Each structure stands twice: as structure tokens, then as C-alpha cells.
Amino acid sequence: MTPDRPAHPMRRVSTPLTGRPGPAGPHGRRRPGPPALVLVGHGSRDPRALATVRALLARVSGLRPGLPVHLGHIELNEPLLTDTLAALDARGTTDAVLVPLLLGRGHHVKHDIPGMAAGARLHTRAAPPLGPHPLLVETLHTRLVEAGWPRDLTGAERRTSAVVLAAAGSRDPDNASDTDRTARLLARRLGVPVVPAYASAAAPTVESALRDLAARGRHRVAVASYFTAPGRFATQCAAHAPWLASAPLGAHPAMARLVLTRYDEALTTTNDASHAA
């Protein structure tokens, strides 16, 4: 996840469309398949981000064979979401669910994605952003343990430990509200304070959150990377960690389950992507 900002030139990297039409009916006609799932990534200049999103796409496809799963970006990488939707329309797809690979509400979710979907000829429905959700907390916990977070803390360790939840940041207060909720869920899971902090566009910064925790006697502080994929902000936030820093969420199995959860939720609502608010 990256902060709200104007579009930048794209890295010319394309992802082919995948998926098959539904099985043939008794008279040889194709039965309508399920609505296509379009993962909507932000896009990044860091090539690791595109590789991570592709790995997540593959994991989602593996969990639900037969579901057409595609990728479109808001900026920086090809295919852009508008191009993916145009290609789906050209192939005869009539319905798609857009699942943002974003962790909270903000300008991208409320304006950019609906704006890009507005010109599509096929019917599109917008899923909510990935966060907040318990499956994100499951992923965050796993990444922290992988980085060295103890599975069991002693009482003394608990009194001196904490986590900074490092997110991209947004000017939209709904985004901060979503990040705060994730922080509370993670704090409940870990049994230590979890403070949300931001790389850009919001306060506190990761550095100021770390200083505040140190002043409160919390010296064993981990930085939990609340980013879907590696990139500049994730790297900068991790560099401030006084103890350990976790990897971004990435293609964790729980992330693939969450994508499908959001897809299924969108199918039970009437949230047209071109009119999302």
C-alpha cells in the first residue's frame, strides 16, 4: 500500500490474462462461469512488488480452480486496471469483481478504482479493501514470528516489548481508522501495545512512535511491516527498527484466503465499482 499521490510513469511489465470459460453445457454451449476476480494492485517501481503480487495471484488461483483471476494496477506497472478490464470485455467477460490489494479505505479505493472502472463496458463490482480483518492479523503475526518475535513472552519481556505497525499512510481519516483497528486486533493477539505509524501523509511517523515507546520504557520494539509487498516505504520503515522488523504481508496463505473472502463478500452486495463511495 502506498499513499495517495498523482500517477507516475509505468514500468512496462505486463501480466497475461488467465482463466478459462465455464464448462460446456449439454448442447455444447458454454455455461456462464463465475465473475472474474481482478486483483487491483497499486503498482511499484520495485520489481519485488510485482513478483509478490503475481505469487499471490497464483496462490489465489490454486485455492479456487476454475475461477478466472487477473491483475490490474492503478499506476506504475502494466497492465493497468483499465487495460485489464478492456481485455476481459474483448474476451466476452461480462462480470468482474475488483479486489483492491490495499489495506484500508482511502483515495485509491474511493476514487481511483471507481474512476478507472467507470469506463469499462463489462459490469464491475468493488470489494472492500483487505483491511481490517483477522486474516491480516494472522499474517502479521506469522511475519513477526519469522523475524524473531518470541512465541511466548515472559512477564518481564511483555512489560518492555511493543510493536510499531508501519503503514503507508493517507490523508483520509477512514484509512487511519482502519489501521487503528488492525493495531488493536494485533495487540490483542500479542498481548503488548501496538502503535500504528506511517511512512507518509499521516502521523505519527515510525521514528516518533519508536521514541514515544522508548520514553514509556518499551525498548524491545518490533516494526511490523503493514505493506502488501516490498517497496521503498517498507524498506525505509524497517530500517528504523531498534530490534527486529518483519517482512511485508506478501503471498501468505492467509492473504490468499482473504482475497477470496472479499471476492465472495462482493458477490452478496450490489456495490457497483463505478459508483463506489
Side-chain angles (χ1 to χ4, degrees):
M1 181 178 177
T2 55
D4 310 332
R5 61 178 188 270
H8 296 282
M10 294 178 295
R11 292 181 62 249
R12 301 191 64 81
V13 181
S14 61
T15 300
L17 295 175
T18 61
R20 299 183 178 90
H27 302 293
R29 297 176 181 173
R30 288 287 180 185
R31 296 172 183 162
L37 189 165
V38 180
L39 296 174
V40 185
H42 181 276
S44 173
R45 294 184 181 87
D46 190 323
R48 297 174 299 168
L50 182 58
T52 299
V53 172
R54 284 175 167 166
L56 179 59
L57 184 150
R59 194 178 285 278
V60 171
S61 296
L63 286 178
R64 195 168 295 184
L67 174 64
V69 182
H70 310 285
L71 175 62
H73 295 94
I74 297 170
E75 59 176 347
L76 297 175
N77 292 134
E78 291 184 336
L80 288 176
L81 175 59
T82 49
D83 297 331
T84 296
L85 295 178
L88 287 171
D89 176 65
R91 294 179 59 188
T93 301
T94 59
D95 198 4
V97 174
L98 313 183
V99 180
L101 296 182
L102 302 169
L103 302 175
R105 294 166 291 173
H107 190 84
H108 295 319
V109 169
K110 295 180 180 181
H111 300 284
D112 289 340
I113 293 175
M116 297 178 82
R121 293 177 55 179
L122 70 163
H123 177 248
T124 57
R125 282 173 275 192
L130 298 183
H133 196 278
L135 286 169
L136 283 177
V137 175
E138 179 180 334
T139 307
L140 285 164
H141 181 262
T142 299
R143 297 301 187 216
L144 283 167
V145 171
E146 290 172 349
W149 183 270
R151 292 185 180 274
D152 296 304
L153 293 173
T154 66
E157 289 172 336
R158 202 174 297 280
R159 288 189 293 272
T160 59
S161 299
V163 170
V164 169
L165 184 65
S170 170
R171 297 179 183 88
D172 191 317
D174 285 338
N175 185 272
S177 176
D178 291 342
T179 306
D180 287 345
R181 186 177 172 196
T182 298
R184 292 195 299 271
L185 291 171
L186 183 58
R188 190 180 308 162
R189 175 74 177 266
L190 297 174
V192 301
V194 176
V195 177
Y198 303 96
S200 177
T205 65
V206 172
E207 291 175 286
S208 63
L210 289 168
R211 286 195 299 268
D212 181 65
L213 286 167
R216 293 157 51 188
R218 303 280 176 171
H219 301 289
R220 287 165 48 89
V221 181
V223 173
S225 185
Y226 197 44
F227 299 90
T228 54
R232 178 169 61 93
F233 282 163
T235 300
Q236 289 176 352
C237 291
H240 295 302
W243 176 30
L244 58 86
S246 65
L249 301 164
H252 188 281
M255 294 292 287
R257 299 201 306 273
L258 178 53
V259 166
L260 290 171
T261 296
R262 292 307 196 204
Y263 170 85
D264 292 337
E265 288 171 350
L267 292 179
T268 65
T269 68
T270 58
N271 186 21
D272 189 302
S274 64
H275 297 92

